[in-house]
Amino acid sequence: MPRLQEIPCSNFITLLSPNLHAHMAKISIDPDIRKAQTLPAAFYREKAWFDLTRDKIFRHFWHYVADTTAIETPQSLYPFTLLPGVLDEPLVLSKDIAGQGYCLSNVCTHRGKILVEAPANRRLISCNYHGRCFNLDGTFKSMPEFAGVENFPSARDHLAQIPMEEWLGMYFVSPNPTQTFGDMMAPIMERVGWMPLHTLRFDPESSRDFLVQSNWALYCDNYLEGFHIPFVHPALNQAIVFDQYEYHLFSHGNLQVGEAKAGEPSFDIPEGYPDFGRNIYAYYFWVFPNLMFNFYPWGLSLNVVEPLNHKQTRVRFRTYVFEGTAFAREKNSIDETELEDEAVVESVQQGIQSDFYDRGRYSPSMEQGVHHFHRLLSEYLN
Ligand code: FES
Ligand SMILES: [Fe+2]
């Protein structure tokens, strides 16, 4: 038996975990959907892939955190944890006296205590451990008993500012973005910018969270195709024209367009905009990796797919209604559709544990969105 320090590095990895290397082999998804195979089952099954996804993807893309009402008045503070259990990053939204909003690290730069424990209204952010104070933009303000400390305060004594963007009355943050938020959202605005988006109001009564017993990416896979609608969603299938279902791919997102059957609610699209003259039932936008913006004639259903671990997912359904719009029938059926989706996704979660399943193939006409998602995942993971 060789002593540890005598083992060459590559052998050491093999000895440490004989399967690690094989499991973490590159995922390759052929750009030609007719030749491509779907993601390997190991991607959904194994914690090692989940951890890599956290570090390579979730740390670098945009997350919905709260509506702008969370810090509506100057000097408000709103603490939260970014992706609890996954990124577990303690952050705080703040609004200064001039009305400027910030997202800051919620960890004291002295010895690491969490600063703000509950929503509050304050002139300063102060640490209740040893009294360090910060301004509402995160800059260091004061610290008792630090006379004589050299090079103090320095830039490292400020609270880190996390990139934050406001869009449709919501805040989105990213710890270390690789894509600008504007670029990610531009395809949505190009298509639905004509809607009275500034009138969207949060509707708590029809908003809820769902706990899904599956890997987060299985939930997204299912969302990204309308292929299953006739099989899984009988009521939705009565409302849309399946033959007219469309997919549009963007660089970091895609769109599915459902056309309404006669007599079903649809958008009144002004002349000069894409889809003028068509009866559109819904626009289903997905933004990489886990945001879904579903626009209906009554408003927006935002779905935030938050992984809790590699086999559990929380999906937050947040409903926003256009001012002056009455609740429409399809809004009430969102719950029904969601439960139908959860049942199939949880079944797939069981299926991909099988020794007899590894990868599948894609329908070129109906699974472009899933293929696109898998291509993006493989691009960022490799
Ligand atoms: S940890 Fe905040 S003042 Fe010491
Ligand atoms: Fe579905």
Short mmCIF file of all heavy atoms in Angstrom, two decimals, residues 156-212:
data_model
loop_
_atom_site.label_atom_id
_atom_site.label_comp_id
_atom_site.label_asym_id
_atom_site.label_seq_id
_atom_site.Cartn_x
_atom_site.Cartn_y
_atom_site.Cartn_z
N ARG A 156 -11.94 46.64 1.68
CA ARG A 156 -12.47 45.34 2.10
C ARG A 156 -13.41 45.45 3.30
O ARG A 156 -14.04 44.47 3.69
CB ARG A 156 -11.31 44.40 2.45
CG ARG A 156 -10.45 44.10 1.24
CD ARG A 156 -9.24 43.30 1.61
NE ARG A 156 -9.61 42.07 2.29
CZ ARG A 156 -8.73 41.20 2.77
NH1 ARG A 156 -7.46 41.44 2.65
NH2 ARG A 156 -9.13 40.10 3.35
N ASP A 157 -13.46 46.63 3.90
CA ASP A 157 -14.35 46.81 5.04
C ASP A 157 -15.75 47.28 4.65
O ASP A 157 -16.64 47.37 5.49
CB ASP A 157 -13.71 47.77 6.04
CG ASP A 157 -12.39 47.19 6.55
OD1 ASP A 157 -12.42 46.10 7.14
OD2 ASP A 157 -11.33 47.81 6.30
N HIS A 158 -15.93 47.59 3.36
CA HIS A 158 -17.29 47.90 2.88
C HIS A 158 -18.04 46.58 2.66
O HIS A 158 -17.43 45.53 2.46
CB HIS A 158 -17.24 48.63 1.53
CG HIS A 158 -16.44 49.90 1.56
ND1 HIS A 158 -16.59 50.86 2.55
CD2 HIS A 158 -15.49 50.37 0.72
CE1 HIS A 158 -15.76 51.87 2.30
NE2 HIS A 158 -15.07 51.59 1.20
N LEU A 159 -19.37 46.66 2.63
CA LEU A 159 -20.17 45.49 2.25
C LEU A 159 -20.13 45.36 0.73
O LEU A 159 -20.26 46.37 0.02
CB LEU A 159 -21.62 45.66 2.71
CG LEU A 159 -21.84 45.78 4.21
CD1 LEU A 159 -23.32 46.05 4.51
CD2 LEU A 159 -21.37 44.51 4.92
N ALA A 160 -19.97 44.15 0.24
CA ALA A 160 -19.96 43.95 -1.22
C ALA A 160 -21.31 44.34 -1.80
O ALA A 160 -22.35 44.05 -1.20
CB ALA A 160 -19.65 42.49 -1.52
N GLN A 161 -21.27 45.03 -2.94
CA GLN A 161 -22.51 45.33 -3.69
C GLN A 161 -22.69 44.27 -4.75
O GLN A 161 -21.79 44.00 -5.54
CB GLN A 161 -22.39 46.69 -4.37
CG GLN A 161 -22.83 47.84 -3.51
CD GLN A 161 -22.90 49.16 -4.28
OE1 GLN A 161 -22.96 49.18 -5.51
NE2 GLN A 161 -22.87 50.26 -3.56
N ILE A 162 -23.86 43.67 -4.79
CA ILE A 162 -24.15 42.59 -5.74
C ILE A 162 -24.93 43.19 -6.92
O ILE A 162 -25.87 43.96 -6.70
CB ILE A 162 -24.95 41.45 -5.05
CG1 ILE A 162 -24.04 40.62 -4.16
CG2 ILE A 162 -25.55 40.48 -6.05
CD1 ILE A 162 -23.54 41.22 -2.94
N PRO A 163 -24.56 42.84 -8.17
CA PRO A 163 -25.30 43.38 -9.32
C PRO A 163 -26.80 43.12 -9.19
O PRO A 163 -27.22 42.00 -8.91
CB PRO A 163 -24.70 42.63 -10.51
CG PRO A 163 -23.31 42.26 -10.06
CD PRO A 163 -23.44 41.98 -8.58
N MET A 164 -27.57 44.19 -9.36
CA MET A 164 -29.03 44.08 -9.22
C MET A 164 -29.70 44.86 -10.34
O MET A 164 -29.21 45.91 -10.75
CB MET A 164 -29.46 44.67 -7.86
CG MET A 164 -30.97 44.64 -7.65
SD MET A 164 -31.43 45.06 -5.96
CE MET A 164 -31.51 46.84 -6.03
N GLU A 165 -30.79 44.34 -10.87
CA GLU A 165 -31.55 45.01 -11.92
C GLU A 165 -33.02 45.01 -11.54
O GLU A 165 -33.51 44.06 -10.93
CB GLU A 165 -31.40 44.27 -13.26
CG GLU A 165 -29.99 44.20 -13.79
CD GLU A 165 -29.52 45.50 -14.44
OE1 GLU A 165 -30.36 46.40 -14.67
OE2 GLU A 165 -28.32 45.59 -14.73
N GLU A 166 -33.69 46.09 -11.94
CA GLU A 166 -35.14 46.18 -11.71
C GLU A 166 -35.83 46.01 -13.05
O GLU A 166 -35.40 46.59 -14.06
CB GLU A 166 -35.45 47.56 -11.12
CG GLU A 166 -36.91 47.75 -10.84
CD GLU A 166 -37.24 49.19 -10.40
OE1 GLU A 166 -36.33 49.88 -9.88
OE2 GLU A 166 -38.39 49.60 -10.62
N TRP A 167 -36.87 45.22 -13.07
CA TRP A 167 -37.60 44.95 -14.33
C TRP A 167 -39.04 44.61 -14.01
O TRP A 167 -39.30 43.72 -13.19
CB TRP A 167 -36.91 43.79 -15.07
CG TRP A 167 -37.36 43.57 -16.47
CD1 TRP A 167 -37.12 44.36 -17.55
CD2 TRP A 167 -38.12 42.46 -16.96
NE1 TRP A 167 -37.67 43.81 -18.68
CE2 TRP A 167 -38.29 42.64 -18.34
CE3 TRP A 167 -38.65 41.31 -16.37
CZ2 TRP A 167 -38.99 41.73 -19.15
CZ3 TRP A 167 -39.34 40.41 -17.15
CH2 TRP A 167 -39.51 40.63 -18.52
N LEU A 168 -39.98 45.31 -14.59
CA LEU A 168 -41.42 45.09 -14.37
C LEU A 168 -41.77 45.05 -12.89
O LEU A 168 -42.58 44.23 -12.45
CB LEU A 168 -41.90 43.78 -15.02
CG LEU A 168 -41.66 43.57 -16.51
CD1 LEU A 168 -42.35 42.29 -16.98
CD2 LEU A 168 -42.16 44.76 -17.32
N GLY A 169 -41.12 45.91 -12.11
CA GLY A 169 -41.45 45.98 -10.68
C GLY A 169 -40.86 44.84 -9.87
O GLY A 169 -41.34 44.55 -8.77
N MET A 170 -39.84 44.17 -10.43
CA MET A 170 -39.20 43.07 -9.70
C MET A 170 -37.70 43.31 -9.66
O MET A 170 -37.15 43.93 -10.56
CB MET A 170 -39.42 41.73 -10.43
CG MET A 170 -40.85 41.40 -10.73
SD MET A 170 -40.89 40.00 -11.87
CE MET A 170 -42.54 40.19 -12.51
N TYR A 171 -37.05 42.76 -8.62
CA TYR A 171 -35.59 42.83 -8.54
C TYR A 171 -34.98 41.47 -8.90
O TYR A 171 -35.46 40.43 -8.43
CB TYR A 171 -35.14 43.20 -7.12
CG TYR A 171 -35.35 44.65 -6.76
CD1 TYR A 171 -36.05 45.00 -5.62
CD2 TYR A 171 -34.83 45.67 -7.57
CE1 TYR A 171 -36.24 46.34 -5.27
CE2 TYR A 171 -35.02 47.00 -7.23
CZ TYR A 171 -35.72 47.33 -6.08
OH TYR A 171 -35.91 48.64 -5.74
N PHE A 172 -33.92 41.55 -9.68
CA PHE A 172 -33.15 40.36 -10.06
C PHE A 172 -31.71 40.63 -9.68
O PHE A 172 -31.20 41.75 -9.87
CB PHE A 172 -33.25 40.12 -11.58
CG PHE A 172 -34.65 39.81 -12.03
CD1 PHE A 172 -35.57 40.84 -12.28
CD2 PHE A 172 -35.08 38.50 -12.18
CE1 PHE A 172 -36.87 40.57 -12.67
CE2 PHE A 172 -36.38 38.22 -12.58
CZ PHE A 172 -37.27 39.25 -12.82
N VAL A 173 -31.03 39.62 -9.15
CA VAL A 173 -29.62 39.78 -8.78
C VAL A 173 -28.81 38.61 -9.32
O VAL A 173 -29.35 37.53 -9.60
CB VAL A 173 -29.40 39.90 -7.25
CG1 VAL A 173 -30.28 40.98 -6.65
CG2 VAL A 173 -29.62 38.58 -6.56
N SER A 174 -27.51 38.85 -9.46
CA SER A 174 -26.60 37.78 -9.85
C SER A 174 -25.28 37.99 -9.13
O SER A 174 -24.71 39.09 -9.21
CB SER A 174 -26.38 37.78 -11.36
OG SER A 174 -25.39 36.83 -11.69
N PRO A 175 -24.76 36.98 -8.42
CA PRO A 175 -23.50 37.17 -7.70
C PRO A 175 -22.34 37.52 -8.63
O PRO A 175 -21.45 38.28 -8.25
CB PRO A 175 -23.25 35.81 -7.04
CG PRO A 175 -24.57 35.12 -7.02
CD PRO A 175 -25.34 35.64 -8.20
N ASN A 176 -22.35 36.98 -9.85
CA ASN A 176 -21.19 37.16 -10.73
C ASN A 176 -21.63 36.95 -12.18
O ASN A 176 -21.32 35.92 -12.77
CB ASN A 176 -20.13 36.14 -10.31
CG ASN A 176 -18.82 36.37 -11.01
OD1 ASN A 176 -18.62 37.40 -11.65
ND2 ASN A 176 -17.93 35.39 -10.93
N PRO A 177 -22.41 37.90 -12.73
CA PRO A 177 -23.07 37.63 -14.01
C PRO A 177 -22.11 37.51 -15.19
O PRO A 177 -21.16 38.28 -15.30
CB PRO A 177 -23.99 38.83 -14.19
CG PRO A 177 -23.44 39.90 -13.32
CD PRO A 177 -22.72 39.23 -12.20
N THR A 178 -22.39 36.54 -16.05
CA THR A 178 -21.61 36.42 -17.29
C THR A 178 -22.37 37.04 -18.46
O THR A 178 -21.79 37.24 -19.52
CB THR A 178 -21.33 34.94 -17.63
OG1 THR A 178 -22.57 34.25 -17.64
CG2 THR A 178 -20.40 34.29 -16.63
N GLN A 179 -23.67 37.28 -18.29
CA GLN A 179 -24.48 37.90 -19.35
C GLN A 179 -25.16 39.12 -18.74
O GLN A 179 -25.57 39.06 -17.58
CB GLN A 179 -25.57 36.94 -19.84
CG GLN A 179 -25.06 35.63 -20.39
CD GLN A 179 -24.34 35.81 -21.70
OE1 GLN A 179 -24.73 36.65 -22.52
NE2 GLN A 179 -23.27 35.07 -21.90
N THR A 180 -25.34 40.17 -19.53
CA THR A 180 -26.04 41.32 -18.96
C THR A 180 -27.53 41.00 -18.89
O THR A 180 -28.07 40.27 -19.73
CB THR A 180 -25.85 42.60 -19.79
OG1 THR A 180 -26.56 42.45 -21.01
CG2 THR A 180 -24.39 42.89 -20.06
N PHE A 181 -28.17 41.54 -17.88
CA PHE A 181 -29.59 41.31 -17.68
C PHE A 181 -30.40 41.81 -18.89
O PHE A 181 -31.33 41.15 -19.36
CB PHE A 181 -30.04 42.01 -16.40
CG PHE A 181 -31.47 41.76 -16.05
CD1 PHE A 181 -31.84 40.55 -15.47
CD2 PHE A 181 -32.44 42.71 -16.30
CE1 PHE A 181 -33.16 40.31 -15.14
CE2 PHE A 181 -33.76 42.48 -15.98
CZ PHE A 181 -34.13 41.27 -15.39
N GLY A 182 -30.01 42.98 -19.41
CA GLY A 182 -30.73 43.56 -20.55
C GLY A 182 -30.70 42.63 -21.76
O GLY A 182 -31.71 42.46 -22.44
N ASP A 183 -29.56 42.02 -22.01
CA ASP A 183 -29.46 41.10 -23.15
C ASP A 183 -30.35 39.88 -22.95
O ASP A 183 -30.95 39.36 -23.88
CB ASP A 183 -28.01 40.61 -23.34
CG ASP A 183 -27.12 41.70 -23.90
OD1 ASP A 183 -27.66 42.74 -24.34
OD2 ASP A 183 -25.88 41.53 -23.88
N MET A 184 -30.43 39.43 -21.69
CA MET A 184 -31.24 38.24 -21.41
C MET A 184 -32.73 38.52 -21.64
O MET A 184 -33.48 37.66 -22.06
CB MET A 184 -31.05 37.80 -19.95
CG MET A 184 -29.62 37.52 -19.52
SD MET A 184 -29.01 35.87 -19.85
CE MET A 184 -30.01 34.83 -18.83
N MET A 185 -33.15 39.75 -21.30
CA MET A 185 -34.58 40.07 -21.33
C MET A 185 -35.05 40.70 -22.65
O MET A 185 -36.25 40.79 -22.89
CB MET A 185 -34.92 41.04 -20.18
CG MET A 185 -34.67 40.45 -18.83
SD MET A 185 -35.71 38.99 -18.56
CE MET A 185 -34.94 38.29 -17.14
N ALA A 186 -34.09 41.13 -23.48
CA ALA A 186 -34.46 41.85 -24.71
C ALA A 186 -35.47 41.09 -25.57
O ALA A 186 -36.44 41.69 -26.06
CB ALA A 186 -33.20 42.20 -25.50
N PRO A 187 -35.31 39.77 -25.77
CA PRO A 187 -36.29 39.07 -26.64
C PRO A 187 -37.71 39.14 -26.10
O PRO A 187 -38.67 39.13 -26.87
CB PRO A 187 -35.78 37.62 -26.66
CG PRO A 187 -34.34 37.69 -26.26
CD PRO A 187 -34.24 38.86 -25.32
N ILE A 188 -37.85 39.22 -24.78
CA ILE A 188 -39.20 39.30 -24.21
C ILE A 188 -39.81 40.65 -24.58
O ILE A 188 -40.95 40.73 -25.06
CB ILE A 188 -39.18 39.13 -22.67
CG1 ILE A 188 -38.54 37.78 -22.30
CG2 ILE A 188 -40.57 39.26 -22.09
CD1 ILE A 188 -38.55 37.46 -20.81
N MET A 189 -39.03 41.71 -24.37
CA MET A 189 -39.57 43.04 -24.63
C MET A 189 -39.89 43.23 -26.12
O MET A 189 -40.85 43.90 -26.48
CB MET A 189 -38.60 44.11 -24.14
CG MET A 189 -38.41 44.11 -22.63
SD MET A 189 -39.96 44.02 -21.71
CE MET A 189 -40.51 45.71 -21.79
N GLU A 190 -39.07 42.64 -26.98
CA GLU A 190 -39.33 42.78 -28.42
C GLU A 190 -40.69 42.19 -28.79
O GLU A 190 -41.37 42.67 -29.68
CB GLU A 190 -38.23 42.06 -29.22
CG GLU A 190 -36.96 42.88 -29.31
CD GLU A 190 -35.76 42.06 -29.75
OE1 GLU A 190 -35.94 41.00 -30.38
OE2 GLU A 190 -34.62 42.51 -29.45
N ARG A 191 -41.06 41.15 -28.09
CA ARG A 191 -42.30 40.45 -28.45
C ARG A 191 -43.53 41.01 -27.74
O ARG A 191 -44.60 41.11 -28.33
CB ARG A 191 -42.16 38.97 -28.08
CG ARG A 191 -43.13 38.07 -28.78
CD ARG A 191 -42.59 37.68 -30.12
NE ARG A 191 -43.47 36.81 -30.86
CZ ARG A 191 -43.07 36.10 -31.89
NH1 ARG A 191 -41.83 36.18 -32.31
NH2 ARG A 191 -43.92 35.34 -32.55
N VAL A 192 -43.38 41.33 -26.46
CA VAL A 192 -44.57 41.69 -25.67
C VAL A 192 -44.48 43.10 -25.08
O VAL A 192 -45.27 43.46 -24.22
CB VAL A 192 -44.84 40.66 -24.54
CG1 VAL A 192 -44.97 39.26 -25.10
CG2 VAL A 192 -43.77 40.72 -23.45
N GLY A 193 -43.52 43.89 -25.61
CA GLY A 193 -43.34 45.25 -25.09
C GLY A 193 -44.57 46.13 -25.25
O GLY A 193 -44.71 47.15 -24.57
N TRP A 194 -45.49 45.73 -26.14
CA TRP A 194 -46.71 46.52 -26.37
C TRP A 194 -47.73 46.35 -25.23
O TRP A 194 -48.66 47.15 -25.12
CB TRP A 194 -47.36 46.11 -27.69
CG TRP A 194 -47.73 44.66 -27.75
CD1 TRP A 194 -46.95 43.64 -28.23
CD2 TRP A 194 -48.93 44.05 -27.30
NE1 TRP A 194 -47.59 42.44 -28.11
CE2 TRP A 194 -48.82 42.66 -27.54
CE3 TRP A 194 -50.11 44.54 -26.72
CZ2 TRP A 194 -49.83 41.76 -27.21
CZ3 TRP A 194 -51.11 43.63 -26.40
CH2 TRP A 194 -50.96 42.26 -26.65
N MET A 195 -47.56 45.32 -24.41
CA MET A 195 -48.54 45.08 -23.34
C MET A 195 -48.42 46.16 -22.25
O MET A 195 -47.36 46.75 -22.09
CB MET A 195 -48.30 43.70 -22.70
CG MET A 195 -48.55 42.55 -23.64
SD MET A 195 -48.23 40.98 -22.77
CE MET A 195 -48.22 39.86 -24.17
N PRO A 196 -49.49 46.40 -21.49
CA PRO A 196 -49.41 47.42 -20.42
C PRO A 196 -48.61 46.88 -19.21
O PRO A 196 -49.14 46.72 -18.11
CB PRO A 196 -50.88 47.67 -20.07
CG PRO A 196 -51.58 46.40 -20.42
CD PRO A 196 -50.83 45.77 -21.56
N LEU A 197 -47.35 46.59 -19.45
CA LEU A 197 -46.53 45.89 -18.45
C LEU A 197 -46.36 46.70 -17.16
O LEU A 197 -46.23 46.12 -16.08
CB LEU A 197 -45.16 45.54 -19.04
CG LEU A 197 -45.20 44.64 -20.29
CD1 LEU A 197 -43.82 44.53 -20.92
CD2 LEU A 197 -45.74 43.26 -19.95
N HIS A 198 -46.35 48.03 -17.30
CA HIS A 198 -46.17 48.88 -16.11
C HIS A 198 -47.37 48.81 -15.18
O HIS A 198 -47.30 49.26 -14.04
CB HIS A 198 -45.91 50.33 -16.54
CG HIS A 198 -47.06 50.91 -17.31
ND1 HIS A 198 -47.27 50.63 -18.65
CD2 HIS A 198 -48.07 51.74 -16.94
CE1 HIS A 198 -48.37 51.26 -19.05
NE2 HIS A 198 -48.87 51.93 -18.04
N THR A 199 -48.50 48.22 -15.64
CA THR A 199 -49.68 48.14 -14.77
C THR A 199 -49.77 46.80 -14.03
O THR A 199 -50.71 46.58 -13.29
CB THR A 199 -50.99 48.34 -15.56
OG1 THR A 199 -51.24 47.15 -16.35
CG2 THR A 199 -50.94 49.55 -16.47
N LEU A 200 -48.80 45.91 -14.26
CA LEU A 200 -48.86 44.60 -13.59
C LEU A 200 -48.81 44.77 -12.08
O LEU A 200 -47.97 45.50 -11.55
CB LEU A 200 -47.69 43.72 -14.05
CG LEU A 200 -47.78 43.12 -15.44
CD1 LEU A 200 -46.45 42.49 -15.84
CD2 LEU A 200 -48.91 42.09 -15.53
N ARG A 201 -49.73 44.10 -11.39
CA ARG A 201 -49.77 44.15 -9.92
C ARG A 201 -49.76 42.74 -9.37
O ARG A 201 -50.49 41.88 -9.86
CB ARG A 201 -51.06 44.86 -9.44
CG ARG A 201 -51.11 46.33 -9.76
CD ARG A 201 -50.14 47.17 -8.92
NE ARG A 201 -50.13 48.55 -9.39
CZ ARG A 201 -49.33 49.03 -10.35
NH1 ARG A 201 -48.44 48.23 -10.93
NH2 ARG A 201 -49.38 50.28 -10.74
N PHE A 202 -48.97 42.53 -8.34
CA PHE A 202 -48.87 41.21 -7.71
C PHE A 202 -50.20 40.82 -7.09
O PHE A 202 -50.86 41.63 -6.45
CB PHE A 202 -47.78 41.24 -6.64
CG PHE A 202 -47.61 39.94 -5.93
CD1 PHE A 202 -47.32 38.78 -6.63
CD2 PHE A 202 -47.75 39.87 -4.54
CE1 PHE A 202 -47.16 37.56 -5.96
CE2 PHE A 202 -47.59 38.66 -3.87
CZ PHE A 202 -47.30 37.51 -4.59
N ASP A 203 -50.59 39.57 -7.30
CA ASP A 203 -51.85 39.06 -6.76
C ASP A 203 -51.54 37.92 -5.80
O ASP A 203 -51.36 36.77 -6.22
CB ASP A 203 -52.74 38.58 -7.91
CG ASP A 203 -54.05 38.03 -7.38
OD1 ASP A 203 -54.67 38.70 -6.54
OD2 ASP A 203 -54.44 36.92 -7.78
N PRO A 204 -51.44 38.22 -4.48
CA PRO A 204 -51.00 37.17 -3.55
C PRO A 204 -51.94 35.97 -3.50
O PRO A 204 -51.50 34.85 -3.29
CB PRO A 204 -50.95 37.89 -2.19
CG PRO A 204 -51.62 39.21 -2.38
CD PRO A 204 -51.70 39.50 -3.83
N GLU A 205 -53.24 36.22 -3.70
CA GLU A 205 -54.19 35.13 -3.52
C GLU A 205 -54.01 34.00 -4.53
O GLU A 205 -54.30 32.84 -4.23
CB GLU A 205 -55.62 35.66 -3.59
CG GLU A 205 -56.17 35.89 -2.21
CD GLU A 205 -57.30 36.87 -2.18
OE1 GLU A 205 -58.16 36.80 -3.08
OE2 GLU A 205 -57.30 37.72 -1.27
N SER A 206 -53.56 34.34 -5.72
CA SER A 206 -53.40 33.27 -6.70
C SER A 206 -51.92 32.90 -6.89
O SER A 206 -51.55 32.29 -7.89
CB SER A 206 -54.04 33.68 -8.03
OG SER A 206 -53.54 34.92 -8.43
N SER A 207 -51.07 33.31 -5.95
CA SER A 207 -49.65 32.95 -6.00
C SER A 207 -49.38 31.85 -4.99
O SER A 207 -49.97 31.86 -3.91
CB SER A 207 -48.78 34.17 -5.67
OG SER A 207 -49.02 35.19 -6.62
N ARG A 208 -48.53 30.93 -5.33
CA ARG A 208 -48.20 29.86 -4.35
C ARG A 208 -46.90 29.17 -4.74
O ARG A 208 -46.43 29.31 -5.86
CB ARG A 208 -49.34 28.86 -4.24
CG ARG A 208 -49.60 28.01 -5.47
CD ARG A 208 -51.03 27.53 -5.50
NE ARG A 208 -51.92 28.63 -5.87
CZ ARG A 208 -53.15 28.81 -5.38
NH1 ARG A 208 -53.64 27.99 -4.51
NH2 ARG A 208 -53.90 29.83 -5.78
N ASP A 209 -46.36 28.41 -3.77
CA ASP A 209 -45.14 27.64 -4.02
C ASP A 209 -45.51 26.15 -4.10
O ASP A 209 -46.39 25.70 -3.39
CB ASP A 209 -44.16 27.79 -2.84
CG ASP A 209 -43.60 29.20 -2.75
OD1 ASP A 209 -43.91 30.03 -3.62
OD2 ASP A 209 -42.85 29.47 -1.79
N PHE A 210 -44.80 25.45 -4.96
CA PHE A 210 -44.99 24.00 -5.09
C PHE A 210 -43.67 23.31 -4.78
O PHE A 210 -42.62 23.77 -5.25
CB PHE A 210 -45.43 23.63 -6.51
CG PHE A 210 -46.76 24.21 -6.91
CD1 PHE A 210 -46.85 25.44 -7.54
CD2 PHE A 210 -47.94 23.51 -6.64
CE1 PHE A 210 -48.08 25.98 -7.92
CE2 PHE A 210 -49.17 24.04 -7.01
CZ PHE A 210 -49.24 25.27 -7.65
N LEU A 211 -43.73 22.23 -4.02
CA LEU A 211 -42.53 21.43 -3.78
C LEU A 211 -42.58 20.24 -4.72
O LEU A 211 -43.54 19.46 -4.69
CB LEU A 211 -42.49 20.97 -2.32
CG LEU A 211 -41.29 20.09 -1.97
CD1 LEU A 211 -39.98 20.87 -2.09
CD2 LEU A 211 -41.43 19.53 -0.56
N VAL A 212 -41.56 20.11 -5.57
CA VAL A 212 -41.56 19.04 -6.57
C VAL A 212 -40.43 18.08 -6.22
O VAL A 212 -39.29 18.51 -6.00
CB VAL A 212 -41.37 19.63 -8.00
CG1 VAL A 212 -41.51 18.53 -9.05
CG2 VAL A 212 -42.35 20.75 -8.27
#
